[in-house]
Structure formats: structure tokens, C-alpha cells
């Protein structure tokens, strides 16, 4: 169905406001998921293969993309290569698979569900701007246009390594962020990620925000930056500081490549 943008966003965009098509699958429910795996895969394939649609914007990053990504990606046609794809969190499984196969332009960045966050209007406008123009402002260590980049939720990246979804990140500045994980799990994931030969070929690592970290009993002592620095040093990966990404309204758009 076609859907109107919230008034504040439509006013901000004016005559440049795009038409948003919300697939009926988004309103399905099956336990933890927005419908069965097959329905979610079919919806993605239908829109990605539709030449009249310019971009695919993941509505939210809810768990389950890993369950349908390989099946969906195998069914894409040439029309899917002419699109931009934007999302984050578990949507990273699809972004990784698309990037690994050279399909379209992909970016880690805000989703429509971010409207529910304080400051979410600005986040969604950033996402829409990239979807419509393909440009995203860069700052800090990632500001050099010649530097290739990629960004992922840390747990998602850790889980997709060694699968058919894993992209070649050689020479990339790799950015990772996390939400809702204990420090010992962040430590464990960073160990796994930085130990992988494919990740050791990156140009360096930046750590985004690690939010809503549960209290550890006893205290873990080290914070997320100290843990990231530790594993980068062990792996011989350049530590490039912090990245302005995370599960929040300040999450910036990071185009891959």
C-alpha cells in the first residue's frame, strides 16, 4: 500500500517527498517474526525485483533476517542491482549478503522504526536523504572519500562470518556497534570478529556506541573501548577510534564501499 509520510517529515521534504510503499507483509505476525520466513523472503524479493521501485528501506531490524537472507538473495534479478538498500541491526545480514554479491548500493543507517525514538525525525530524514540522493555526510576518521567503509551490529557481524553472507572487507574501515549485550558478550564477540582472517584484512576498526549494557555481577571492570583496543592489538588491526553509529537517533548513514 502507498503511505503518507508523517506531517513533520513531509513538511521538511516539501515537493521532494518520496512515495513510500509499505508491503502488507510488514503487518503480519507469527510469534517473534513479522510473518513466516517464506512470506518475508517473498516480500523482499518482490520489491527488490520490481524495476519501478528505486530503493528498499528496511522497516526495522528485528531478528529473523538471517533465516531468509540466503533464499531471498538467490532469487534476485538484475532489477535488484539498480536500487539502494538501507537498514541496520539484523538487517545487516541482508546488507552483508547484498554487498558480498555486488547487488545495488547498501548502507547501514536509520530505519522508519526510529521515528519512535526521541529525535527520530532527524534520523529518518538522514536515511531518506541517502535513499534519494546516494550521498551521506562523513566525519572524523571516515571522512576521506577514498576510504572504503562498512558498518554492522557486532553480534550480527560475528554470526555471519564464515557463511555465504560474509562480504570481502579487505581494506575497509570496519565500524561496529552493539545494544543490550553484557560486556562479557561484547568481549567474546570482539574476540571472534578480530580473530577471523577476513577481518584481519580490514584497514582498521572503529567502535560505535554500545548502549543499554546490562550491569555485570561481578563488575567486568573493562569498558567497551578498552575491550576493543585489546582485541585490535592482539589481532594486529589498526584501532581508529570511535564511530558515530549505534541503536539510537544519532545513528549516521554509512554507505558500504
Amino acid at each position: 500500500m502507498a503511505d503518507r509520510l508523517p506531517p513533520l517529515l513531509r513538511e521538511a521534504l516539501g515537493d521532494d517527498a518520496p512515495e513510500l510503499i509499505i508491503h502488507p507483509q510488514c503487518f503480519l505476525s507469527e510469534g517473534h517474526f513479522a510473518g513466516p520466513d517464506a512470506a518475508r523472503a517473498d516480500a523482499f524479493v518482490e520489491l527488490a525485483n520490481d524495476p519501478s521501485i528505486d530503493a528498499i528501506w528496511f522497516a526495522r531490524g528485528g531478528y529473523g533476517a538471517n533465516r531468509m537472507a540466503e533464499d531471498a538473495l538467490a532469487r534476485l534479478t538484475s532489477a535488484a542491482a539498480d536500487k539502494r538498500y538501507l537498514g541496520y541491526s539484523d538487517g545487516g545480514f541482508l546488507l552483508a549478503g547484498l554487498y558480498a554479491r555486488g547487488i545495488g548500493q547498501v548502507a547501514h543507517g536509520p530505519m522508519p522504526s526510529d521515528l519512535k525514538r526521541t529525535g527520530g525525525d532527524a534520523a529518518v530524514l538522514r536515511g531518506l536523504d541517502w535513499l534519494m540522493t546516494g550521498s551521506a555526510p562523513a566525519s572524523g576518521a571516515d571522512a576521506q572519500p577514498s576510504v572504503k567503509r562498512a558498518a554492522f551490529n557486532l553480534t550480527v557481524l560475528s554470526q555471519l562470518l564464515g557463511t555465504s553472507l560474509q562480504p570481502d572487507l579487505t581494506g575497509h574501515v570496519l565500524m561496529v556497534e552493539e545494544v543490550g549485550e553484557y560486556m562479557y558478550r561484547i568481549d567474546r564477540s570482539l574476540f571472534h570478529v578480530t580473530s577471523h582472517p577476513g577481518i584481519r584484512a580490514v584497514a582498521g576498526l572503529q567502535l560505535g556506541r554500545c548502549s543499554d549494557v546490562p550491569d555485570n555481577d561481578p563488575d567486568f571492570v573493562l569498558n567497551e573501548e578498552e575491550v576493543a583496543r585489546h582485541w585490535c592489538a592482539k589481532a594486529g588491526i589498526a584501532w581508529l577510534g570511535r564511530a558515530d553509529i549505534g541503536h539510537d537517533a544519532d545513528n549516521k548513514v554509512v554507505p558500504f564501499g
Side-chain angles (χ1 to χ4, degrees), residues 130-192:
W130 182 80
L131 287 167
M132 292 187 293
T133 68
S135 63
S139 60
D142 60 320
Q144 302 176 39
S146 61
V147 176
K148 294 185 290 186
R149 293 163 288 171
F152 293 96
N153 170 263
L154 175 60
T155 297
V156 168
L157 177 60
S158 178
Q159 296 300 306
L160 66 83
L161 293 179
T163 74
S164 68
L165 302 176
Q166 180 182 338
D168 181 2
L169 298 178
T170 301
H172 290 61
V173 171
L174 174 61
M175 306 175 192
V176 293
E177 51 81 18
E178 192 53 273
V179 62
E181 296 287 359
Y182 285 95
M183 275 305 310
Y184 73 84
R185 291 180 177 173
I186 293 173
D187 179 66
R188 183 187 293 159
S189 292
L190 280 166
F191 157 70
H192 180 223

Side-chain angles (χ1 to χ4, degrees), residues 34-56:
D37 293 345
R40 289 181 285 114
D42 288 348
F44 176 76
V45 171
E46 177 188 339
L47 298 185
N49 287 344
D50 186 339
S52 70
I53 292 176
D54 299 313
I56 302 292

Side-chain angles (χ1 to χ4, degrees), residues 64-149:
N66 60 307
R67 297 175 60 91
M68 45 72 71
E70 290 178 311
D71 170 59
L73 293 169
R75 296 157 56 194
L76 297 184
T77 65
S78 59
D82 297 326
K83 292 178 173 57
R84 297 188 180 108
Y85 300 83
L86 180 64
Y88 69 100
S89 193
D90 277 73
F93 286 108
L94 282 163
L95 297 178
L98 288 162
Y99 192 54
R101 291 157 177 77
I103 299 173
Q105 302 175 53
V106 304
H108 174 286
M111 299 178 291
S113 60
D114 288 318
L115 283 171
K116 296 183 294 183
R117 303 183 189 276
T118 300
D121 285 1
V124 168
L125 283 171
R126 282 197 302 276
L128 280 171
D129 184 61
W130 182 80
L131 287 167
M132 292 187 293
T133 68
S135 63
S139 60
D142 60 320
Q144 302 176 39
S146 61
V147 176
K148 294 185 290 186
R149 293 163 288 171

